[in-house]
Amino acid sequence: MSRVRVVSLVLVGVLGLGTLGAWSAVQPPAVPPAYDGPRPDPVADGYVSHTESVFVAVSPARYRAWVGGRDLSDVVAPPEGGLAAVVATTPLRGDWDPARDRSGDRRRVTFADGHHLAEEVLVDTPERFRYLIWGFTAPQRFAVAHGTAEFTYTAAPGGMTLSWTYSFLPSNGLVAPFVRGFVADTIAPMMRGTLEGMRVGAERASI
Protein backbone atom coordinates (compact mmCIF):
# COMPACT_ATOMS: atom_id res chain seq x y z
CA MET A 1 0.00 0.00 0.00
CA SER A 2 1.40 3.42 -0.95
CA ARG A 3 2.39 5.98 1.67
CA VAL A 4 -0.20 8.42 0.30
CA ARG A 5 -2.93 5.81 0.68
CA VAL A 6 -1.85 5.04 4.24
CA VAL A 7 -1.83 8.72 5.22
CA SER A 8 -5.25 9.21 3.63
CA LEU A 9 -6.73 6.28 5.54
CA VAL A 10 -5.26 7.54 8.82
CA LEU A 11 -6.70 11.01 8.28
CA VAL A 12 -10.09 9.64 7.39
CA GLY A 13 -10.02 7.40 10.47
CA VAL A 14 -9.06 10.22 12.83
CA LEU A 15 -11.39 12.80 11.33
CA GLY A 16 -14.22 10.44 10.38
CA LEU A 17 -17.64 11.23 11.71
CA GLY A 18 -17.81 7.91 13.53
CA THR A 19 -14.91 8.76 15.86
CA LEU A 20 -16.69 11.33 17.97
CA GLY A 21 -13.92 11.35 20.56
CA ALA A 22 -11.53 12.87 18.04
CA TRP A 23 -14.09 15.53 17.19
CA SER A 24 -14.86 16.43 20.80
CA ALA A 25 -11.14 16.72 21.60
CA VAL A 26 -10.97 19.96 19.61
CA GLN A 27 -11.98 22.62 22.09
CA PRO A 28 -13.93 25.73 21.04
CA PRO A 29 -12.17 29.09 21.34
CA ALA A 30 -12.51 30.99 24.61
CA VAL A 31 -13.27 34.17 22.64
CA PRO A 32 -15.37 34.04 19.43
CA PRO A 33 -13.35 34.92 16.31
CA ALA A 34 -13.80 38.47 15.00
CA TYR A 35 -13.74 37.37 11.35
CA ASP A 36 -12.67 40.87 10.38
CA GLY A 37 -10.09 39.86 7.76
CA PRO A 38 -10.61 39.12 4.07
CA ARG A 39 -12.74 36.13 3.16
CA PRO A 40 -11.51 33.35 0.86
CA ASP A 41 -12.32 33.65 -2.82
CA PRO A 42 -14.34 30.85 -4.44
CA VAL A 43 -12.39 28.80 -6.97
CA ALA A 44 -13.41 27.35 -10.31
CA ASP A 45 -13.47 23.66 -9.34
CA GLY A 46 -12.40 21.03 -6.84
CA TYR A 47 -15.48 21.17 -4.61
CA VAL A 48 -17.48 18.27 -3.21
CA SER A 49 -21.07 19.31 -3.93
CA HIS A 50 -24.57 18.13 -3.13
CA THR A 51 -27.99 19.49 -4.15
CA GLU A 52 -31.42 18.93 -2.62
CA SER A 53 -34.74 20.33 -3.86
CA VAL A 54 -38.32 20.57 -2.65
CA PHE A 55 -41.57 21.92 -4.06
CA VAL A 56 -43.11 24.69 -1.95
CA ALA A 57 -46.72 25.68 -2.54
CA VAL A 58 -46.07 29.42 -2.27
CA SER A 59 -44.62 31.93 -4.72
CA PRO A 60 -40.91 32.81 -4.61
CA ALA A 61 -41.79 36.31 -3.37
CA ARG A 62 -43.91 35.01 -0.49
CA TYR A 63 -41.30 32.45 0.42
CA ARG A 64 -38.54 35.06 0.51
CA ALA A 65 -40.71 37.30 2.70
CA TRP A 66 -41.29 34.43 5.11
CA VAL A 67 -37.73 33.15 5.32
CA GLY A 68 -36.34 36.67 5.64
CA GLY A 69 -37.92 36.95 9.06
CA ARG A 70 -36.42 33.71 10.38
CA ASP A 71 -33.16 33.36 12.28
CA LEU A 72 -30.79 30.68 11.01
CA SER A 73 -31.19 28.73 14.26
CA ASP A 74 -34.95 28.55 13.59
CA VAL A 75 -34.72 26.94 10.17
CA VAL A 76 -31.62 24.71 10.04
CA ALA A 77 -32.48 21.13 10.94
CA PRO A 78 -30.36 19.48 13.66
CA PRO A 79 -27.43 17.81 11.89
CA GLU A 80 -26.56 14.16 12.17
CA GLY A 81 -23.19 12.53 12.73
CA GLY A 82 -22.48 14.08 16.11
CA LEU A 83 -22.25 17.68 14.91
CA ALA A 84 -23.83 20.50 16.89
CA ALA A 85 -26.89 22.54 15.99
CA VAL A 86 -26.88 26.25 15.17
CA VAL A 87 -27.85 28.32 18.21
CA ALA A 88 -27.13 31.94 17.22
CA THR A 89 -25.93 34.32 14.53
CA THR A 90 -24.12 37.62 15.12
CA PRO A 91 -24.01 40.27 12.36
CA LEU A 92 -20.45 41.47 11.76
CA ARG A 93 -20.94 43.56 8.62
CA GLY A 94 -24.24 44.91 7.34
CA ASP A 95 -27.60 44.48 9.01
CA TRP A 96 -28.78 41.35 7.14
CA ASP A 97 -32.03 43.15 6.28
CA PRO A 98 -33.85 40.89 3.78
CA ALA A 99 -35.63 43.95 2.34
CA ARG A 100 -32.41 44.97 0.56
CA ASP A 101 -29.55 43.37 -1.32
CA ARG A 102 -27.45 41.70 1.38
CA SER A 103 -24.42 41.04 -0.81
CA GLY A 104 -21.30 41.65 1.27
CA ASP A 105 -23.05 41.23 4.62
CA ARG A 106 -21.12 39.02 7.03
CA ARG A 107 -22.04 37.22 10.25
CA ARG A 108 -20.68 34.76 12.77
CA VAL A 109 -22.59 31.50 13.20
CA THR A 110 -22.39 29.91 16.65
CA PHE A 111 -23.10 26.24 17.38
CA ALA A 112 -24.30 24.51 20.52
CA ASP A 113 -20.82 23.13 21.24
CA GLY A 114 -19.29 26.62 21.30
CA HIS A 115 -17.67 26.44 17.88
CA HIS A 116 -18.13 29.04 15.15
CA LEU A 117 -17.81 29.80 11.46
CA ALA A 118 -18.14 32.91 9.31
CA GLU A 119 -20.72 33.45 6.61
CA GLU A 120 -20.78 36.14 3.91
CA VAL A 121 -23.40 36.78 1.23
CA LEU A 122 -22.06 36.65 -2.32
CA VAL A 123 -25.28 37.05 -4.35
CA ASP A 124 -28.75 38.15 -3.24
CA THR A 125 -31.40 38.42 -5.96
CA PRO A 126 -35.07 37.43 -6.24
CA GLU A 127 -33.97 34.20 -7.95
CA ARG A 128 -30.77 33.33 -6.09
CA PHE A 129 -29.08 33.56 -2.68
CA ARG A 130 -25.42 32.49 -2.58
CA TYR A 131 -23.06 32.66 0.36
CA LEU A 132 -19.61 31.53 1.49
CA ILE A 133 -18.62 29.90 4.79
CA TRP A 134 -15.13 29.68 6.25
CA GLY A 135 -13.16 30.08 9.46
CA PHE A 136 -14.33 26.84 11.04
CA THR A 137 -13.18 26.46 14.64
CA ALA A 138 -14.57 22.89 14.81
CA PRO A 139 -12.63 19.87 13.43
CA GLN A 140 -13.90 20.52 9.90
CA ARG A 141 -11.10 23.07 9.72
CA PHE A 142 -8.61 20.24 9.26
CA ALA A 143 -10.27 19.06 6.08
CA VAL A 144 -12.35 21.90 4.59
CA ALA A 145 -10.75 25.08 3.23
CA HIS A 146 -14.12 26.80 2.77
CA GLY A 147 -17.59 26.15 1.45
CA THR A 148 -20.15 27.84 -0.75
CA ALA A 149 -23.91 27.39 -0.70
CA GLU A 150 -26.70 28.58 -2.92
CA PHE A 151 -30.49 28.67 -2.77
CA THR A 152 -32.44 29.11 -6.01
CA TYR A 153 -36.14 29.91 -6.26
CA THR A 154 -37.80 28.74 -9.48
CA ALA A 155 -41.46 29.61 -10.05
CA ALA A 156 -43.68 26.66 -10.96
CA PRO A 157 -47.45 26.11 -11.28
CA GLY A 158 -48.93 26.41 -7.78
CA GLY A 159 -45.70 27.48 -6.12
CA MET A 160 -41.98 27.11 -6.67
CA THR A 161 -39.05 24.71 -6.60
CA LEU A 162 -36.61 25.53 -3.83
CA SER A 163 -33.13 24.11 -4.48
CA TRP A 164 -30.12 24.21 -2.16
CA THR A 165 -26.56 23.32 -3.22
CA TYR A 166 -23.69 23.01 -0.75
CA SER A 167 -20.09 22.79 -1.99
CA PHE A 168 -17.04 22.14 0.21
CA LEU A 169 -13.46 22.60 -0.94
CA PRO A 170 -11.13 19.98 0.58
CA SER A 171 -8.00 21.52 2.07
CA ASN A 172 -5.96 18.95 0.13
CA GLY A 173 -6.42 15.76 -1.83
CA LEU A 174 -5.67 13.47 1.09
CA VAL A 175 -8.79 14.53 2.99
CA ALA A 176 -11.14 14.51 0.00
CA PRO A 177 -12.59 11.08 1.01
CA PHE A 178 -13.47 12.48 4.43
CA VAL A 179 -15.13 15.52 2.88
CA ARG A 180 -17.20 13.31 0.57
CA GLY A 181 -18.32 11.24 3.57
CA PHE A 182 -19.06 14.39 5.59
CA VAL A 183 -21.25 15.75 2.79
CA ALA A 184 -23.09 12.45 2.22
CA ASP A 185 -23.59 11.44 5.85
CA THR A 186 -24.07 14.77 7.61
CA ILE A 187 -24.70 17.65 5.24
CA ALA A 188 -27.19 15.91 2.92
CA PRO A 189 -29.57 14.78 5.71
CA MET A 190 -29.36 18.24 7.30
CA MET A 191 -30.24 19.83 3.95
CA ARG A 192 -33.24 17.55 3.44
CA GLY A 193 -34.54 18.19 6.94
CA THR A 194 -34.04 21.94 6.61
CA LEU A 195 -35.80 22.15 3.25
CA GLU A 196 -38.75 20.17 4.56
CA GLY A 197 -38.97 22.47 7.57
CA MET A 198 -38.86 25.49 5.30
CA ARG A 199 -41.59 24.03 3.10
CA VAL A 200 -43.89 23.36 6.04
CA GLY A 201 -43.22 26.73 7.65
CA ALA A 202 -43.72 28.76 4.49
CA GLU A 203 -46.91 26.92 3.53
CA ARG A 204 -48.40 27.25 7.00
CA ALA A 205 -47.63 30.97 7.06
CA SER A 206 -49.47 31.46 3.77
CA ILE A 207 -52.71 29.82 4.91
Side-chain angles (χ1 to χ4, degrees):
M1 184 179 294
S2 71
R3 182 177 181 276
V4 170
R5 178 63 174 163
V6 170
V7 172
S8 180
L9 288 174
V10 169
L11 284 171
V12 171
V14 171
L15 295 174
L17 293 175
T19 55
L20 299 182
W23 285 80
S24 61
V26 178
Q27 296 300 310
V31 177
Y35 296 122
D36 53 1
R39 62 163 173 78
D41 288 325
V43 297
D45 53 31
Y47 293 93
V48 176
S49 299
H50 183 80
T51 299
E52 294 284 345
S53 299
V54 68
F55 178 80
V56 186
V58 300
S59 68
R62 294 194 68 171
Y63 170 79
R64 283 169 53 85
W66 172 81
V67 79
R70 311 270 81 77
D71 186 79
L72 190 62
S73 60
D74 295 331
V75 296
V76 175
E80 300 181 7
L83 297 185
V86 173
V87 295
T89 57
T90 304
L92 302 173
R93 179 188 300 163
D95 57 11
W96 287 80
D97 182 356
R100 64 166 183 82
D101 183 350
R102 291 164 287 182
S103 299
D105 283 9
R106 181 181 296 186
R107 65 186 176 186
R108 180 173 56 241
V109 179
T110 300
F111 297 86
D113 59 3
H115 283 290
H116 310 272
L117 60 79
E119 190 174 77
E120 183 168 321
V121 181
L122 301 176
V123 178
D124 185 14
T125 71
E127 299 81 25
R128 183 181 177 213
F129 183 78
R130 185 170 186 245
Y131 56 99
L132 185 141
I133 62 173
W134 79 100
F136 308 95
T137 66
Q140 297 100 305
R141 70 176 187 258
F142 298 121
V144 178
H146 68 260
T148 65
E150 178 174 293
F151 286 96
T152 59
Y153 324 108
T154 305
M160 68 165 195
T161 298
L162 174 63
S163 295
W164 188 12
T165 299
Y166 240 126
S167 302
F168 292 90
L169 182 67
S171 54
N172 60 67
L174 295 177
V175 297
F178 160 74
V179 177
R180 286 193 289 271
F182 172 67
V183 170
D185 299 336
T186 300
I187 297 301
M190 179 275 293
M191 292 170 70
R192 288 191 289 270
T194 297
L195 287 178
E196 179 61 15
M198 288 175 167
R199 180 193 69 78
V200 171
E203 291 178 350
R204 284 178 177 171
S206 68
I207 294 176

